[in-house]
Amino acid sequence: MTLRSPLSLRGASASRAPTLAACCAAVLTGALVAAPAAHASPSGGPAPRAIVVRYAARVSRADGALAHDARLLHSVAAARTRVVRLRPGVGLTGELRRLRAQRDVVWAVPDYIAHAAGGLVPNDPGMGGAVKGWEQLQWNFAGQFGVDAPDAWANLAAAGAPGGKDVTVAVLDTGVAYADRGRFRRSPDFGRFQFVHGYDFVAKNRFPNDRNGHGTFVAATIAEATNNRYGLTGLAYGARIMPVRVLDSGGEGEASTIAKGVVFAARHGAQVINLSLEFSPGVTASDIPELIDALRYAHRRGVLVVGAAGNEGHTAIAYPARAPYVISVGATTEHGCLAAYSNDGSSLTLVAPGGGPDADLPSDPNCHPELPSGRDIFQVTFSGSSPRAFGIPSGYEGTSMATPHVTATAALIIASRVLGRHPSPAQITARLRATARKLGGGGDERLYGAGLVDAAAATTRGGPGAVAG
């Protein structure tokens, strides 16, 4: 009997509206969007509008008169130091030069402006071309019910591993747009050095190019280039992607093929494996023994496997996410509700943004199925059916989209070393669960697992399972 694995992808062809795809392609294939010229301080912040002056002796009335004559508006004396604010139209450079030339001035410096410490806010323009436009689309990273990517990025930068640098993530999917080869093109929001060698178990060759777009989307959520003034952002943008093609151009793949991909990834250095795929609800563990064995093998080699819970709205998780040692990921909406399509059940590990409509859960204050659906998840992938044309299409929602958020967060945990140099799959799973954000009305583990994955909390020093140093 042949078993096939349908993708968690809504309307893979029809949902990519031509008008939107054309718009996106124009944005992404044109010139890079340049940031506006910065009229700022040498440190990159806003330009100061005040000067701090230290005098050799207490400021006299004559000094005060001189400051007024120089059109310095406001001063606050503190012993021998004075803060003076510039009137509109008065140049900072000229006034600094004049003050520093006075005999009784020990020093005069701009009163530089600080900003609240926070995470990286990338300059990727999204659809519209405005610097930082990614925030308008990627609610899943930076919105109210996102995974708090900016603070996670700050944590990883502080740990010396920006974006999960050097962690290897295997994406077992329809392939990835990872290279220019024949009719295939690398996605314009991936760098050529972001990939390690993978394999195509469908075509049985060394070139796992994407023929569908789903695998490229998943890989982009994990590691799309970030802060490059182009397209959108990836959660673990410093990670290396191992593309492993186990699904065909229609998004289907046999259990034996997927099993081969799991073993290949585990043997070739993957630290995390992403499985944004599911079997039909009737498929049980006894139907896919070769895949169950492969997942067990990956676990023994210390590889974390993350799988999609499934999109049937059932109270049971689909395989392979339901298998032992696999983190099962359900999907939530922009409103912080369980998505109407997301499977749930006692074996659900946690949830992540998947987009789409709210489930009808009267006890959950975040669920409003009577209102318009929340937004989809967006990434750079094929703008149509051609593997040569890229855009930011709509229509991507599902547990397939939720899963790479957890995969990327696991990669960030590994890179941050909050759990030490070589954390086990069990340690990473426990950390993900312990730092997840609780959702629902309380006691809702069947619906939300441990809660919404929180990349910032998971990578913050200290806390559950953390090691010293």
Side-chain angles (χ1 to χ4, degrees):
M1 178 174 61
T2 298
L3 301 174
R4 294 194 175 274
S5 170
L7 288 175
S8 307
L9 170 62
R10 184 193 69 186
S13 299
S15 64
R16 299 188 180 110
T19 52
L20 177 61
C23 165
C24 297
V27 171
L28 291 171
T29 58
L32 296 181
V33 179
H39 299 287
S41 71
S43 60
R49 294 298 303 164
I51 298 173
V52 184
V53 185
R54 168 61 68 90
Y55 292 93
R58 186 173 295 276
V59 179
S60 66
R61 291 184 180 179
D63 293 326
L66 181 61
H68 180 76
D69 290 343
R71 296 183 298 173
L72 297 172
L73 177 65
H74 180 66
S75 64
V76 179
R80 292 152 52 195
T81 302
R82 174 171 291 178
V83 178
V84 289
R85 302 193 181 278
L86 301 173
R87 285 177 179 267
V90 175
L92 176 66
T93 302
E95 291 306 316
L96 279 171
R97 185 182 301 115
R98 188 194 63 77
L99 285 167
R100 288 168 176 171
Q102 295 180 15
R103 287 186 302 172
D104 57 344
V105 170
V106 178
W107 47 255
V109 296
D111 197 5
Y112 288 115
I113 300 169
H115 62 276
L120 167 69
V121 182
N123 56 27
D124 305 71
M127 285 185 183
V131 173
K132 302 179 184 179
W134 68 276
E135 294 176 287
Q136 302 305 312
L137 286 182
Q138 291 187 291
W139 62 269
N140 49 311
F141 282 1
Q144 180 183 3
F145 291 103
V147 300
D148 195 2
D151 286 327
W153 291 330
N155 290 342
L156 270 294
K165 185 175 183 292
D166 293 336
V167 175
T168 298
V169 177
V171 174
L172 275 61
D173 215 288
T174 60
V176 177
Y178 74 100
D180 296 337
R181 177 178 173 271
R183 68 188 182 95
F184 299 102
R185 291 291 177 269
R186 184 178 72 247
S187 168
D189 216 2
F190 281 135
R192 60 181 297 193
F193 301 112
Q194 287 185 255
F195 300 94
V196 299
H197 292 298
Y199 195 81
D200 186 336
F201 285 94
V202 179
K204 297 179 175 59
N205 61 41
R206 297 181 293 107
F207 309 106
N209 297 101
D210 196 354
R211 278 94 161 158
N212 178 285
H214 185 272
T216 297
F217 186 103
V218 169
T221 301
I222 297 169
E224 190 162 280
T226 299
N227 207 36
N228 64 340
R229 305 192 183 207
Y230 202 100
L232 295 173
T233 67
L235 183 53
Y237 60 85
R240 298 170 297 196
I241 295 294
M242 177 189 294
V244 181
R245 185 171 178 241
V246 296
L247 305 178
D248 63 20
S249 59
E252 294 186 338
E254 295 171 335
S256 59
T257 303
I258 299 166
K260 291 174 185 175
V262 170
V263 172
F264 174 90
R267 285 179 174 171
H268 288 82
Q271 293 157 278
V272 189
I273 294 175
N274 189 93
L275 297 175
S276 285
L277 49 86
E278 58 165 308
F279 287 93
S280 299
V283 174
T284 67
S286 62
D287 295 319
I288 51 173
E290 68 275 46
L291 180 52
I292 299 299
D293 284 347
L295 295 170
R296 188 177 296 113
Y297 173 81
H299 180 77
R300 288 201 304 267
R301 292 185 68 97
V303 181
L304 182 74
V305 182
V306 186
N311 297 332
E312 292 72 40
H314 289 175
T315 55
I317 306 304
Y319 281 95
R322 191 174 176 179
Y325 312 124
V326 179
I327 291 179
S328 56
V329 184
T332 52
T333 71
E334 186 177 6
H335 309 137
C337 178
L338 184 73
Y341 54 79
S342 182
N343 291 349
D344 60 73
S346 58
S347 56
L348 185 68
T349 308
L350 70 173
V351 292
D358 290 357
D360 188 2
L361 301 174
S363 63
D364 191 331
N366 293 329
C367 295
H368 302 283
E370 74 282 2
L371 298 179
S373 296
R375 287 178 290 173
D376 297 335
I377 305 298
F378 294 94
Q379 285 295 349
V380 177
T381 188
F382 301 164
S383 57
S385 59
S386 171
R388 302 171 66 90
F390 296 86
I392 307 176
S394 63
Y396 280 90
E397 63 179 41
T399 56
S400 270
M401 282 65 256
T403 301
H405 291 79
V406 176
T407 297
T409 301
L412 296 180
I413 290 172
I414 294 169
S416 71
R417 296 189 177 180
V418 294
L419 300 180
R421 295 178 65 88
H422 302 290
S424 69
Q427 288 175 305
I428 299 169
T429 301
R431 178 76 174 192
L432 287 165
R433 289 182 57 88
T435 56
R437 177 182 175 186
K438 295 294 183 183
L439 293 178
D444 292 332
E445 286 238 344
R446 183 183 67 81
L447 299 174
Y448 295 105
L452 178 66
V453 65
D454 188 327
T459 56
T460 297
R461 290 286 171 191
V467 299

